[in-house]
Amino acid sequence: CLEPSRRSRKENADLSRIDGHTLVAQSLRRLGVTHVYCVAGTPIRETFSKCAELGIRPIGVRNQHAGVLMAIAQNYVSGRIAAVALFSAGPAVTNAATGILVAWDNCWPLVLLGGRRPLNMRGMGSFQDLDASVLFQSITKWSAVVEKTSQIPRCVEQAFQIAISGRPGPVYLDLPEDVLTATSHPSVDPANVTLNIRPLDENGIDAAAELLLRAQRPAMIIGKGVRWSEPYAELRRLADEFEIPFITSPMGRGYLPDDHPRCFNNARSLLQHKADVVLLLGARLDWTFRFGSQIARDAQIIQIDIHEPEIGVNRAPTIGIVGDVKLVMQQLLARMANKFSDAPQKNLLPWHTVLEAERESKQRKLDTQMNSAAAPMSPHSLFKEIKDFMPRDAICILDGNISMAAGQQVLPAHLPASRFTAGSNGCMGVGVPFAVGAKIAQPQRMVIAVCGDMGFALSAMDMETAVRHKIPIIVVVVNNEGNSGAILQKTLFPSFEERITMFQPDIHYENIMRAFGGHAEHVDRPEQLRPALERAVASGKAACINVNVDPFAPYPTE
């Protein structure tokens, strides 16, 4: 037996030790996490519970994939890592893989914590055993195993720093069961993350200022990557003071409002084809911009990006500048202001006039499509009613194929981080979970998800999550009876009477929401939609409005 004094010291030491579940929750709270998304299961269900005990709101989701997407959306709207996703072992972790890929391809910061069977039982055939750290190495910035309980605080802090540094992205930590159940003293060693911050290219910035001031047909392309440096005042100065026209990527909309006089998204092809100097800001010349092929071959490109390997992808720039977009733009604007009086005076009115004529022509065509009285209604008629209903600060999610393309043509975005689409890799099924995460981030704003019936089906069960947690999102189902409506059916199976890519007609998807206890309506005429949306808002509940749309409507073109 120990002497009384020695026994007391040992008991006090034991009392100061904390289990791994608690260390995870404490670390998340210290780093500012407010929400954790999870399907509770071993070995992380106690971690989930500890998060709740420490004031982190637990959201119990129906699918791990949806939980990842919810965390992504909340972080994107919040502008920081406010939410994490937590998984139990084995298949629960692999269920999350698509969501992790979405974060990776879209360069969104995210920390994911996955459960794992005990390290001391590796190779024994444990239930749901999986080394997920290896599995996710190709789609994360860092994927690692926490091998000791004492390492938890440092590893979690390191995960956050890596996720948000440079070009943001997802980070995955494997949490073995024996590491979570063991105890350790709660000391926090600072994470050792080396950040290679290079000095700004002063000569490149100076040359870029000269190019922009001398351009006769300048243009800028704004991408969703500007979210993390928030150069909103700088973007406005370029558009207002220097009168530079702009277009955006699908999710780059709203960083300058769509109704800004220099916004030419309706004339994007002409702008790219005719511009003589193009300023690329937080946007990638990937498939979204046809790999840069629409930009004139003799145009001079100024590319600013935080991620050096992105410079020159698909089009070699005249000037490539590596750095935070906001910091580079501040230096660029300062030089432009200093050089303005010495630059040759130019008149951008002819350039603006050409673009305005194209924009007006495209708008007239769009107005004709939106005001069609055809029955069943077209996607454009549906989106006109939503456009007329949405407040200026609404957050809108577009999920689908034909419906998403029509929505991008019709629905405006006026505020930063207010527009979601299927993202860089076109992942379908994002509508409902993105809406949940966005609404949690901004509960005072309207959040509406417009989903094709194909995309809706992939995450419809998480409408129950919204009802249960009292998250009043609005889900509009564009019911065109199938994957791309009737287009694929006609193309791939023209001689088949059996519906293959088309679904059964007149499916009442709203009854799923009715079964969950939310607000549900069915609409088949354009004039019925706005009153239905108003009733959905008045209900104060999560709502689903199922709208019959012409399955033979063609794919919208620019």
Side-chain angles (χ1 to χ4, degrees), residues 217-422:
R217 298 180 303 281
M220 58 179 169
I221 298 177
I222 303 170
K224 64 178 179 292
V226 302
R227 173 67 180 117
W228 309 108
S229 61
E230 301 185 332
Y232 311 145
E234 292 77 13
L235 290 172
R236 188 169 285 278
R237 282 191 64 194
L238 284 172
D240 291 348
E241 294 180 28
F242 296 97
E243 300 183 317
I244 299 179
F246 66 91
I247 62 173
T248 74
S249 69
M251 285 184 61
R253 295 174 65 171
Y255 294 103
L256 286 176
D258 278 0
D259 57 2
H260 191 286
R262 298 289 172 260
C263 179
F264 290 97
N265 278 325
N266 278 4
R268 56 193 306 113
S269 292
L270 181 68
L271 178 142
Q272 292 176 82
H273 183 63
K274 295 292 186 180
D276 59 356
V277 175
V278 177
L279 177 60
L280 197 62
L281 300 168
R284 291 177 284 175
L285 294 180
D286 55 13
W287 67 272
T288 308
F289 291 99
R290 299 182 185 177
F291 311 103
S293 63
Q294 290 184 300
I295 298 175
R297 299 308 304 174
D298 59 349
Q300 299 187 83
I301 298 174
I302 303 166
Q303 185 176 7
I304 302 172
D305 202 284
I306 190 70
H307 190 56
E308 184 173 7
E310 188 61 41
I311 303 294
V313 173
N314 294 322
R315 285 290 298 268
T318 309
I319 301 170
I321 303 171
V322 179
D324 176 87
V325 173
K326 185 180 182 73
L327 295 179
V328 174
M329 288 180 66
Q330 287 174 342
Q331 295 293 320
L332 178 64
L333 284 162
R335 284 166 170 75
M336 291 176 71
N338 290 336
K339 294 173 179 287
F340 184 76
S341 59
D342 297 330
Q345 296 302 305
K346 61 184 180 181
N347 180 11
L348 294 181
L349 182 60
W351 174 224
H352 295 159
T353 301
V354 168
L355 293 173
E356 287 164 3
E358 178 74 359
R359 180 173 62 189
E360 290 168 7
S361 173
K362 291 292 180 67
Q363 188 60 50
R364 285 193 297 271
K365 177 183 176 182
L366 188 59
D367 288 341
T368 300
Q369 293 175 298
M370 289 191 297
N371 293 310
S372 170
M377 79 177 83
S378 70
H380 288 91
S381 298
L382 175 147
F383 279 107
K384 178 184 182 298
E385 297 301 317
I386 296 175
K387 173 180 176 290
D388 293 343
F389 165 76
M390 286 195 323
R392 189 174 179 86
D393 69 344
I395 298 173
C396 184
I397 295 97
L398 300 175
D399 177 17
N401 184 19
I402 291 176
S403 60
M404 185 170 70
Q408 288 179 174
Q409 291 181 343
V410 177
L411 295 184
H414 297 114
L415 296 176
S418 295
R419 168 62 57 83
F420 285 86
T421 67

Side-chain angles (χ1 to χ4, degrees), residues 29-48:
R29 184 180 66 173
R30 186 176 64 255
L31 291 164
V33 171
T34 59
H35 291 76
V36 58
Y37 297 92
C38 181
V39 177
T42 57
I44 50 76
R45 57 191 179 189
E46 290 85 0
T47 313
F48 196 32

Side-chain angles (χ1 to χ4, degrees), residues 107-128:
C107 309
W108 282 326
L110 184 64
V111 172
L112 308 116
L113 307 174
R116 180 173 176 170
R117 291 307 168 201
L119 291 176
N120 59 19
M121 296 182 68
R122 278 181 288 197
M124 296 175 62
S126 297
F127 177 61
Q128 295 183 332

Side-chain angles (χ1 to χ4, degrees), residues 473-485:
I473 61 173
I474 299 173
V475 180
V476 176
V477 182
V478 184
N479 188 350
N480 62 355
E481 299 183 14
N483 180 2
S484 299

